[in-house]
Amino acid sequence: MRKGSKIPAFTLFVTIIAAFGGLLFGYHTAVISGALLFLENVFNLSIFEQQIIVSTVLLGALLGAIFGGSLADHFGRRAALFLTSFLFIIGTYLLTSAYSIFELIVGRFITGVGVGLTSLVVPLYIAEMSPSKNRGMLVSFNQFAITIGILSAFLINYGFARESDWRWMFGFAFIPAVLQLIGLFFITDTPSWFISHGKKAKAYDILERTRKIRKDEEVFDNKNISRKEAKFKHLFDESVRPAFLVGIGLSIFQQITGINTVIYYAPRIFQLAGFETARSAILATLTVGIVNVAVTILALWLIDRIGRRPLLIVGTLGMAASLAILGIFFAIPTGPGFIAVISVVAYVCFFAIGLGPIAWLIISEIFPLRVRGRAMGVAVFFNWFSNYIVSLTFLSLISALGISLTFWVYTLICFLALWFVVRKVPETRGKSLEQIQKFWQKR
Ligand code: BGC
């Protein structure tokens, strides 16, 4: 934290409560890789059924993103957070108590809707609660929670693997879901949402608690926005269009640069690289999880200091270099497997410093208040859609192109992402959400 930028305790508290959503996002997307090994035997699953169980979370997330934005704009960010907690609790209950494939699929779908909704509402909520100069760090705290969720899933999978207890693998998610539900009773909605619904006094009250200021011109600018004005027809108007390009572009690039080929398939990659026992492959995967958390902490520290653009540029360049090396390693598979581990770990480091936190951060910053929830919903939809396509095609790509060429395809995409960042993404460090809004209007 920089001098003079002490964050009020209430702001920290609401950020932590909201970020439990990130933890659940990470956990539910990563836990399945471990649980699946046992589900396969218990339920006698075909490959097709396994794919359905894995991918329904992503389909649910698409649905959560589609309706989540309108929900957050109309009923409030806090109401949307309550809904995610309920979805997580019901979904987890169905998963832990499932006795049929159908129950498993429904449970995965419901948690998926929760994941999609949470991925949209949490950054939105935190961005609107944060003082401008700390917004990068506070919103990215959610990414930190996502990485903790992923790491916990890896650890729990590892821990319960011996007892084959897949029910506990899913069941662990009850703890953060219930904690979040309790916490939500103690938080409020955001000043921006109150202002956009004509509740000025309430907005100023929250501003004072979250930023220690009374009349904040940031939110004051939006005082005349009525519900009528926020109708859907404004969603794609001219001043919002360039913001859409940036938001959708970053969301797609965050996924098609291949992060989840590593997060979802790491043990498989390491087995291909010569780590023959499942145990050594899982240990290498744990390393990925730990590094992902550690570098995200570094990103939190840097994001408001050196800005979003430098980190994105270094991040995408580094990802491209690591993948290129990984491709070379697989092309001449004589060396020891640890070069593969080093390149994969380096790739994850560069994701964690750039596209990981910053794609989510920027989509929470660039849209004008009157369409913010819904516009974010569109960007988030593209994020999950691209995730779905990458997860679905990775193994087929490997068998069609071979593993080296597959990683070189991703290298090329990282270069495209770099070009996009350099040309299109504006620096938002230190600017208020309303200054960013005006920046688009001037354009
Ligand atoms: C991405 C996820 C990814 C995770 C890895 C998030 O920002 O949206 O798809 O699994 O980072 O840390």
Side-chain angles (χ1 to χ4, degrees):
M1 209 173 12
R2 275 178 296 173
K3 266 191 205 148
S5 58
K6 202 157 184 277
I7 306 169
F10 184 65
T11 317
L12 285 178
F13 173 73
V14 300
T15 301
I16 291 169
I17 297 299
F20 271 107
L23 198 139
L24 286 153
F25 161 173
Y27 190 81
H28 282 293
T29 50
V31 73
I32 193 65
S33 61
L36 199 64
L37 301 174
F38 306 105
L39 294 175
E40 190 184 342
N41 295 333
V42 177
F43 291 95
N44 215 349
L45 299 176
S46 66
I47 296 276
F48 178 69
E49 285 164 338
Q50 289 181 43
Q51 278 177 354
I52 303 247
I53 289 173
V54 173
S55 61
T56 31
V57 154
L58 302 182
L59 290 180
L62 281 176
L63 188 74
I66 293 171
F67 76 81
S70 310
L71 215 125
D73 280 349
H74 287 290
F75 299 103
R77 299 15 176 162
R78 182 170 173 250
L81 285 172
F82 263 111
L83 180 61
T84 60
S85 268
F86 285 124
L87 289 168
F88 282 132
I89 290 172
I90 297 168
T92 304
Y93 173 74
L94 282 172
L95 287 169
T96 44
S97 60
Y99 281 96
S100 69
I101 300 178
F102 179 72
E103 283 164 293
L104 279 176
I105 293 176
V106 176
R108 288 283 289 166
F109 186 75
I110 293 177
T111 44
V113 179
V115 167
L117 194 57
T118 231
S119 67
L120 152 77
V121 185
V122 175
L124 168 64
Y125 177 82
I126 301 178
E128 291 184 343
M129 281 298 208
S130 306
S132 309
K133 57 177 179 285
N134 306 112
R135 194 178 54 240
M137 185 180 84
L138 290 169
V139 175
S140 303
F141 187 76
N142 186 50
Q143 174 70 15
F144 168 67
I146 295 174
T147 61
I148 293 277
I150 293 173
L151 179 61
S152 327
F154 287 166
L155 286 170
I156 296 264
N157 282 349
Y158 188 59
F160 282 109
R162 247 169 256 192
E163 285 114 63
S164 325
D165 203 339
W166 59 272
R167 289 185 196 276
W168 270 108
M169 292 181 182
F170 288 129
F172 172 80
F174 266 125
I175 303 171
V178 170
L179 284 178
Q180 186 186 39
L181 182 62
I182 297 170
L184 288 178
F185 286 97
F186 299 96
I187 71 170
T188 65
D189 218 307
T190 69
S192 312
W193 188 79
F194 281 126
I195 285 278
S196 67
H197 284 67
K199 296 179 181 164
K200 242 199 289 179
K202 198 97 183 110
Y204 288 142
D205 179 42
I206 313 299
L207 272 178
E208 197 176 357
R209 291 174 72 190
T210 54
R211 304 181 202 181
K212 297 277 179 241
I213 36 178
R214 185 88 204 140
K215 288 206 170 168
D216 185 328
E217 62 172 62
E218 293 182 11
V219 187
F220 202 64
D221 279 354
N222 283 301
K223 68 178 184 296
N224 293 325
I225 290 165
S226 66
R227 260 174 213 243
K228 219 166 116 213
E229 211 186 326
K231 280 270 163 59
F232 199 76
K233 60 177 189 259
H234 287 282
L235 186 53
F236 294 103
D237 77 17
E238 253 170 66
S239 65
V240 191
R241 250 177 258 156
F244 263 117
L245 176 75
V246 173
I248 294 177
L250 275 180
S251 299
I252 294 178
F253 277 121
Q254 192 205 43
Q255 293 299 326
I256 64 171
T257 42
I259 183 62
N260 288 316
T261 63
V262 173
I263 301 294
Y264 301 167
Y265 295 103
R268 179 73 62 100
I269 298 177
F270 292 133
Q271 271 176 343
L272 287 170
F275 287 79
E276 261 144 38
T277 63
R279 201 183 147 79
S280 63
I282 290 177
L283 276 178
T285 306
L286 279 183
T287 315
V288 165
I290 293 168
V291 165
N292 195 13
V293 173
V295 179
T296 304
I297 298 175
L298 178 67
L300 296 196
W301 189 74
L302 289 173
I303 247 165
D304 291 315
R305 289 182 156 78
I306 63 172
R308 287 56 163 156
R309 273 175 60 86
L311 291 179
L312 277 175
I313 291 171
V314 170
T316 42
L317 245 179
M319 285 166 79
S322 320
L323 286 178
I325 295 172
L326 192 61
I328 294 172
F329 167 78
F330 276 110
I332 30 165
T334 45
F338 74 84
I339 299 183
V341 178
I342 292 174
S343 341
V344 170
V345 166
Y347 167 79
V348 171
C349 286
F350 286 112
F351 173 84
I353 201 95
L355 276 174
I358 300 177
W360 294 111
L361 169 62
I362 288 196
I363 62 167
S364 76
E365 300 181 317
I366 53 174
F367 295 113
L369 175 58
R370 73 195 139 79
V371 295
R372 194 169 293 145
R374 282 164 297 152
M376 270 187 80
V378 176
V380 171
F381 173 87
F382 278 98
N383 186 299
W384 288 106
F385 182 71
S386 318
N387 186 340
Y388 187 62
I389 301 290
V390 170
S391 316
L392 218 60
T393 52
F394 179 57
L395 295 181
S396 324
L397 264 185
I398 292 184
S399 49
L401 304 178
I403 190 151
S404 293
L405 209 55
T406 302
F407 284 122
W408 286 332
V409 169
Y410 286 116
T411 308
L412 193 74
I413 301 176
C414 288
F415 279 119
L416 283 178
L418 175 65
W419 171 85
F420 180 82
V421 168
V422 172
R423 297 297 303 263
K424 305 284 178 201
V425 179
E427 182 55 77
T428 51
R429 176 176 78 112
K431 297 196 174 79
S432 73
L433 296 180
E434 284 59 37
Q435 283 166 340
I436 299 170
Q437 182 167 327
K438 284 190 192 129
F439 164 82
W440 296 121
Q441 283 160 356
K442 272 191 221 137
R443 273 192 150 189

